[in-house]
Amino acid sequence: MDIFTKKKSNTDVIMLAVICIILIIIGIINLYSVTTPRGIENQYYYNQIIWAIFGIILCVFIITVDYKKLEVFTYPFYIMCILSLIAVFLFGKTAMGAKRWINLGVFQ
């Protein structure tokens, strides 16, 4: 199954990428300008850069995938989501009056 073959479309991918990168840069500059003068460590600034790079890589992957060939995964994904909701209902931790998450050790 070759999911990386996609038909040509009228979408200008370069312009879309440039707009996304400009928005990411503006967001990082805003975050840096908010955290730096107050003496706050730039931990948030670096986390934002890491997540921005991850987001760009994920966008490139999603653009190259033919979504119509991923249709075979819809029912297993749907079942997994329903089971996850049931697991939170049965085993979730209660915080502020609502069951919010499952403690998996490494992840919450």
Side-chain angles (χ1 to χ4, degrees), residues 83-93 99-102:
L83 291 176
S84 297
L85 288 171
I86 292 170
V88 169
F89 181 70
L90 296 175
F91 308 112
K93 291 176 71 175
K99 289 193 177 186
R100 298 187 181 260
W101 56 74
I102 299 174

Side-chain angles (χ1 to χ4, degrees), residues 36-77:
T36 303
R38 297 178 185 215
I40 301 172
E41 287 188 29
N42 288 335
Q43 168 188 346
Y44 304 110
Y45 172 70
Y46 292 121
N47 286 344
Q48 186 73 18
I49 292 172
I50 290 169
W51 282 108
I53 291 170
F54 176 72
I56 291 170
I57 292 169
L58 187 65
C59 284
V60 168
F61 175 75
I62 289 173
I63 287 172
T64 59
V65 170
D66 186 6
Y67 69 91
K68 292 179 183 176
K69 293 185 179 179
L70 295 176
E71 189 176 356
V72 296
F73 299 112
T74 55
Y75 288 115
F77 184 71

Side-chain angles (χ1 to χ4, degrees), residues 12-33:
D12 190 359
V13 178
I14 295 173
M15 186 173 73
L16 184 64
V18 168
I19 290 171
C20 288
I21 290 172
I22 288 172
L23 287 172
I24 289 170
I25 290 171
I26 290 171
I28 290 172
I29 289 171
N30 283 334
L31 188 62
Y32 181 75
S33 69

